[in-house]
Amino acid sequence: MLKTRPAHADGDHVRRPALLIALVLLAVAFPGTAGAALTVGITDDSGRDSADGGAAFLATLADVGLTENRVSVVWNPDTPDTIPSKPQLDAYVANAAAAGVRLVLSVYPGRAGALTATPDASGRFVSFLAELASAYPQVTDFVVGNEPNQPRFWQPQFSTAGTPLACATYEPVLAAGYDALKSVNPAITVIGLGLSPRGNDIATAANNPSTSPVRCLRDIGAAYRASGRTTPIMDEIAFHAYPELDTQPFGVGSSWPKVGLVDLARLKQAVWDAFNGTAQPTFAETGQSVMLPALRLRVAEVGWQVGIVPSAQAAYTGTENVPTTDETNQAADYTQAIRLLACDPAVKSLDFFGLEDETDLSAWQAGLIRADGTTRPSYDAVKAELAASHGACTGATATWKHTTGVVGVAPRFDARKSRPAKSVAWSFPLGVKENALFTAGLFKLPGTVLTARSRALIGNALAVHAPKTMRPALRLTGRALAPFGRTVTFPRKRVKAGVYVYGIRLTAEMNAQRVTFLTGKPFRVGAAPQKAPAKKKAPAPKHSANKKH
């Protein structure tokens, strides 16, 4: 097998030129429960390609406790009806079934632009999916396509005018693939995307113009809604959860609109934004009392690259080209990944990328086994973890509910209780954890406090351009970008003396139905009006005191 490094696509940082075999799964299943064990496996073609039909490979999986193997099937548009490496695949499918290893076939074209090159290309690919499912009825997990948000696997990513195209053009292929596979066997689990964790969303990027995972899901959802389809397009969704840097400690997330291993709530929200209210199920939420169909998540590729220990150097060639972690940290990372995902009811499986290292240091070295055949500490760590927990959650169960507001809105309104009458500068910093559009205003209150009625009128004024009541003294519209936010700076202007308050209304860029409205605390501009001196009361008339005795 030619094992290949995953693409890290941030525009200025593409990890390796080698071709990646990737996967993502998106599914319509019943929600998982806290007691459902996590399946842990490997993404690796070595078993299929070995001369012994995968016997040694499968024995190694059994020793570690790995029970799933994702294998690539690369479709060749020049021979569209030919199953590549069929004799080897025939033998390996039978041997994996006998060994109790669940196979997942990840099916995608060998050329990035193959499915958009001609009008009938996607139809031939879909027919191949049905052919493959018919040839291997014992396999019931299929990934349709791979990393459509990366140009290594799907082109074009953008139009010549810069409009995103990739994920919208992937959607009808996934939908047709879903129908074709279900027609062969309704019990087949159709897995979508194989989503890359990163993308730069820059059509003109000199290096790897690509689509971020959050925006890819938005575009797939928009295409699905526009199609008028009334049935799902996937049963599970898979995600490739590589760290941005292998040297980062476990638990470091990625900034929006990227998604890291610890950012799965962001992924779930993006799916909800894309498909809520349609026939395509989304992820189950904490506290749902009705067992509605729900997506499950497969974290289908994970790996931390490791520096080579001196004793194994002779087995490698070339030069390492990225910063790496050490073997002790890799073992801890793999253990923590299992424990984290085992406690997320939405996650069905975790597949580490590569059982054994590639020998070329410019390729992929994140295996449990070094290229010389010796085992790393991660081998023993994963084996011990699975022997102890069997993939069950040993900590707190993860919870998630969709949000109806903008994520991470944090304005820092002016805390001063008064401002001089001559003030002309009006601004406040605004933090956000996702991109948002906003309308902000400075409002003069009719009294000295912010009443519920005044707050409602301010919200209405920010929602419409020309409100009939509560017009702002100052108004500003704009865009706040995650993760840094911005300073909301109004035009310089003096305002009339009185009591004022800031208000801001934000809408999520990925879903205009998600709105957050906030106000600050009232403050006075100019001196408080002086009270007129109280008039002295006229003295009461004196009366004679006639007392009765």
Side-chain angles (χ1 to χ4, degrees):
M1 167 196 175
L2 175 62
K3 289 183 290 187
T4 54
R5 278 183 200 263
H8 284 210
D10 287 319
D12 59 349
H13 179 61
V14 179
R15 240 190 188 175
R16 312 292 192 192
L19 177 65
L20 161 69
I21 300 172
L23 139 82
V24 162
L25 321 168
L26 187 48
V28 182
F30 287 101
T33 65
L38 175 73
T39 296
V40 182
I42 206 83
T43 288
D44 197 318
D45 294 347
S46 297
R48 179 200 65 196
D49 296 340
S50 61
D52 65 354
F57 181 84
L58 291 167
T60 303
L61 297 191
D63 183 58
V64 182
L66 303 173
T67 57
E68 181 172 285
N69 182 202
R70 200 202 86 197
V71 176
S72 61
V73 178
V74 181
W75 178 67
N76 185 347
D78 297 330
T79 54
D81 301 324
T82 301
I83 298 175
S85 304
K86 190 174 187 302
Q88 296 96 320
L89 190 57
D90 289 347
Y92 187 60
V93 166
N95 292 339
V101 171
R102 187 178 188 92
L103 285 189
V104 180
L105 297 185
S106 178
V107 192
Y108 57 93
R111 294 199 295 268
L115 298 186
T116 56
T118 61
D120 60 342
S122 62
R124 293 198 300 269
F125 175 73
V126 168
S127 296
F128 176 76
L129 286 171
E131 177 190 353
L132 196 63
S134 298
Y136 302 106
Q138 60 272 62
V139 177
T140 56
D141 295 292
F142 289 83
V143 187
V144 179
N146 182 69
E147 291 196 356
N149 57 326
Q150 291 299 321
R152 187 174 297 177
F153 297 102
W154 195 278
Q155 291 183 17
Q157 287 283 306
F158 301 91
S159 71
T160 55
T163 303
L165 292 179
C167 297
T169 53
Y170 166 75
E171 185 275 338
V173 175
L174 177 59
Y178 180 95
D179 294 340
L181 290 168
K182 294 291 187 180
S183 69
V184 174
N185 179 3
I188 284 176
T189 297
V190 180
I191 305 160
L193 286 102
L195 196 61
S196 168
R198 283 176 284 286
N200 52 44
D201 299 312
I202 302 173
T204 58
N207 186 5
N208 205 59
S210 49
T211 310
S212 63
V214 168
R215 288 195 170 96
C216 181
L217 287 165
R218 176 202 61 187
D219 294 347
I220 291 172
Y224 175 80
R225 291 175 189 271
S227 73
R229 185 178 173 93
T230 57
T231 54
I233 55 175
M234 54 194 167
D235 297 318
E236 296 177 355
I237 183 169
F239 170 59
H240 302 167
Y242 296 101
E244 294 197 61
L245 294 172
D246 295 287
T247 53
Q248 288 177 333
F250 187 88
V252 175
S254 298
S255 59
W256 188 95
K258 306 169 192 174
V259 179
L261 187 63
V262 295
D263 305 313
L264 297 186
R266 183 179 301 149
L267 182 72
K268 294 172 187 177
Q269 181 66 46
V271 170
W272 189 89
D273 288 338
F275 298 108
N276 177 54
T278 73
Q280 172 59 53
T282 59
F283 290 104
E285 301 189 38
T286 303
Q288 278 186 342
S289 58
V290 180
M291 293 291 285
L292 296 173
L295 281 175
R296 297 296 300 282
L297 178 65
R298 297 197 188 205
V299 178
E301 291 185 16
V302 172
W304 279 262
Q305 291 199 86
V306 189
I308 308 306
V309 295
S311 62
Q313 285 284 354
Y316 296 86
T317 61
T319 303
E320 182 59 71
N321 60 357
V322 297
T324 57
T325 190
D326 60 46
E327 291 192 339
T328 300
N329 283 327
Q330 186 211 33
D333 290 338
Y334 283 19
T335 301
Q336 292 180 87
I338 294 171
R339 292 175 180 174
L340 174 74
L341 299 179
C343 290
D344 190 330
V347 179
K348 182 175 181 178
S349 66
L350 162 64
D351 289 344
F352 294 108
F353 190 80
L355 182 64
E356 184 174 334
D357 283 357
E358 293 181 72
T359 57
D360 182 357
L361 288 174
S362 67
W364 187 244
Q365 291 81 41
L368 306 178
I369 302 173
R370 304 181 188 101
D372 65 354
T374 58
T375 59
R376 282 203 173 99
S378 56
Y379 185 104
D380 294 325
V382 171
K383 180 177 178 178
E385 177 64 26
L386 294 177
S389 70
H390 302 286
C393 177
T394 58
T397 301
T399 61
W400 176 75
K401 291 180 76 74
H402 77 271
T403 181
T404 57
V406 177
V407 177
V409 178
R412 286 190 287 130
F413 296 118
D414 196 330
R416 290 175 288 181
K417 294 183 179 180
S418 63
R419 298 282 304 275
K422 62 182 180 181
S423 296
V424 295
W426 313 97
S427 66
F428 59 87
L430 173 65
V432 289
K433 292 184 178 178
E434 65 172 320
N435 285 9
L437 305 177
F438 72 84
T439 301
L442 179 65
F443 292 85
K444 187 174 185 294
L445 298 175
T448 59
V449 298
L450 177 61
T451 64
R453 173 173 170 73
S454 290
R455 191 175 188 280
L457 290 172
I458 290 171
N460 179 63
L462 295 173
V464 296
H465 185 67
K468 295 181 179 179
T469 59
M470 208 66 177
R471 291 181 181 275
L474 298 171
R475 182 185 180 95
L476 182 72
T477 60
R479 187 174 179 228
L481 305 181
F484 304 108
R486 62 171 289 168
T487 299
V488 177
T489 304
F490 295 92
R492 294 173 65 84
K493 180 181 177 182
R494 290 183 64 171
V495 299
K496 295 179 181 179
V499 176
Y500 286 81
V501 68
Y502 286 116
I504 186 167
R505 185 180 189 272
L506 301 99
T507 59
E509 199 168 78
M510 295 298 101
N511 181 357
Q513 301 302 311
R514 291 198 282 117
V515 176
T516 294
F517 165 56
L518 297 169
T519 54
K521 293 183 178 180
F523 60 89
R524 183 172 292 280
V525 176
Q530 297 295 317
K531 291 183 179 180
K535 295 182 179 179
K536 292 183 178 181
K537 293 183 179 180
K542 293 182 179 181
H543 300 282
S544 59
N546 295 324
K547 293 183 180 179
K548 294 185 178 179
H549 297 280

